[in-house]
Amino acid sequence: MSHCINFLSICFSAIRQLGYHDLMMRKILSIQSAVALGAVGNTMANVVMLSMGHQLCRLDTIQLAAHPGHGLKAGGALDDADFAAILDGITRLDRWPEFSAMMTGYMGSPGQVQATAMALKAFRQHNPDAPVMVDPAVGDHGQLYVAEDLAQAMAARLIGNAEIITPNAFELSYFSGQPVRNISEAQAAAEAMLAQFPALTTIVVTGVHDHGVVRDMMVSRGHKAVFPPPDDAFPDDGSSSGRPASGMPASGMPASGMPGGGDLFAAIMMAMRMNGMSWQDSAAKASAISRRVLAASSGGKDIDLGVVQQVLTSD
């Protein structure tokens, strides 16, 4: 009974936020990691989307007991053949037109990247104007936490076919081949990637160091936006990025960030976009809400999903 009341509370909150005449549950195809315990990848995105009135149609690339920051790796990636068969099943059922957006995150193998790239093309054929977001989750803290061939497959097959990507500072540096040690370098690296990938329109980079604080930044063609305001940014603790972007970091976390923080950011941004906001407004909102959630969840190894739900339904 309490679960039903809680679900209704979420729905009514979404109605209040959007207005009765604007409320429309949209389906977002999300291809990324999942855990039984904790809050990363699709496990995180599912709570965000439900709290904001949308349906997450999830394909989990890898299923673990918990993120590796707990010191244990139990579980593994979905078999490439089964992964491809699920995406092919969407085609055979002729269900691509149902999706309003597509987002990807941590990949378990180069084969999954290849199958996802093919699915992205099918999605585009049926939904040419729908947003595609790629979180190129390959590393943090100055190093890759996936194999080099997997990272290169994402660069070759996914990034160039996205509308928007959400790397952390390390990932932006890795894919652009340029240093990202401050806001100016982040802008230059993002502009280099935009020049390299013509279909890519926007890059939102998280965890950029800036005069003793950590900020998020959006760069599109001919425009940039930096958030949060100076008095509301994370203090710079000297780690490589202030908000880990991936659901599967190798280990540990900076004092100002937690595993799954980037997944939270990306999911909120996509949900806000589905609610009619521009990418810039969606990114600014995601940055502000993520900071509130991370601050309230500090002290543990996982972001508190209850806090996520509470902040989203009361915002």
Side-chain angles (χ1 to χ4, degrees):
M1 184 65 177
S2 61
H3 293 295
C4 294
I5 294 173
N6 191 38
F7 178 78
L8 289 173
S9 175
I10 293 173
C11 293
F12 288 138
S13 176
I15 290 172
R16 289 195 300 271
Q17 290 182 42
L18 301 178
Y20 289 93
H21 62 288
D22 292 326
L23 182 63
M24 177 179 179
M25 178 175 278
R26 300 182 184 276
K27 293 182 179 179
I28 296 94
L29 178 61
S30 180
I31 305 175
Q32 54 182 319
S33 61
V35 290
L37 302 169
V40 301
N42 273 336
T43 309
M44 170 68 77
N46 192 54
V47 172
V48 171
M49 291 300 172
L50 177 60
S51 298
M52 299 188 68
H54 301 299
Q55 178 183 349
L56 193 77
C57 301
R58 55 190 285 182
L59 172 52
D60 298 338
T61 57
I62 181 171
Q63 174 73 54
L64 299 180
H67 68 74
H70 285 270
L72 169 72
K73 183 176 180 180
L78 182 64
D79 175 81
D80 284 356
D82 290 337
F83 183 90
I86 292 171
L87 290 171
D88 182 61
I90 298 175
T91 299
R92 294 170 64 187
L93 293 169
D94 192 24
R95 304 294 288 270
W96 287 111
E98 295 182 17
F99 299 115
S100 297
M102 182 172 173
M103 58 191 295
T104 73
Y106 184 93
M107 293 284 156
S109 69
Q112 289 185 357
V113 174
Q114 180 177 354
T116 299
M118 295 176 62
L120 198 157
K121 290 181 179 179
F123 173 81
R124 285 287 199 201
Q125 289 175 356
H126 292 89
N127 311 280
D129 298 322
V132 173
M133 175 190 291
V134 170
D135 181 359
V138 299
D140 201 359
H141 310 299
Q143 62 182 359
L144 291 174
Y145 48 62
V146 301
E148 184 79 27
D149 62 340
L150 175 52
Q152 289 301 312
M154 292 186 70
R157 304 298 301 272
L158 295 184
I159 290 178
N161 292 309
E163 174 187 357
I164 182 170
I165 63 173
T166 58
N168 60 30
F170 167 77
E171 290 159 348
L172 178 60
S173 177
Y174 175 81
F175 287 114
S176 67
Q178 299 190 19
V180 177
R181 295 167 295 198
N182 52 51
I183 290 292
S184 296
E185 290 184 350
Q187 181 178 355
E191 289 174 346
M193 288 195 69
L194 291 173
Q196 181 182 356
F197 299 105
L200 187 61
T201 67
T202 304
I203 297 175
V204 178
V205 55
T206 59
V208 181
H209 294 219
D210 180 40
H211 297 94
V213 296
V214 177
R215 300 187 189 282
D216 305 318
M217 180 181 189
M218 189 190 85
V219 179
S220 56
R221 300 182 189 278
H223 178 73
K224 76 169 184 177
V226 180
F227 21 81
D231 61 349
D232 199 23
F234 280 127
D236 186 348
D237 64 2
S239 59
S240 61
S241 71
R243 180 179 294 126
S246 167
M248 293 292 149
S251 64
M253 57 190 173
S256 55
M258 299 181 70
D263 303 326
L264 171 68
F265 183 98
I268 294 173
M269 188 162 61
M270 178 60 84
M272 292 294 178
R273 183 63 171 157
M274 292 292 94
N275 288 352
M277 287 188 176
S278 67
W279 279 126
Q280 180 171 331
D281 289 343
S282 297
K285 194 77 170 177
S287 182
I289 293 175
S290 295
R291 291 195 312 276
R292 290 169 58 190
V293 170
L294 291 176
S297 298
S298 63
K301 291 186 176 181
D302 294 294
I303 294 173
D304 189 331
L305 287 174
V307 171
V308 173
Q309 177 187 307
Q310 181 180 16
V311 170
L312 287 173
T313 56
S314 63
D315 188 69

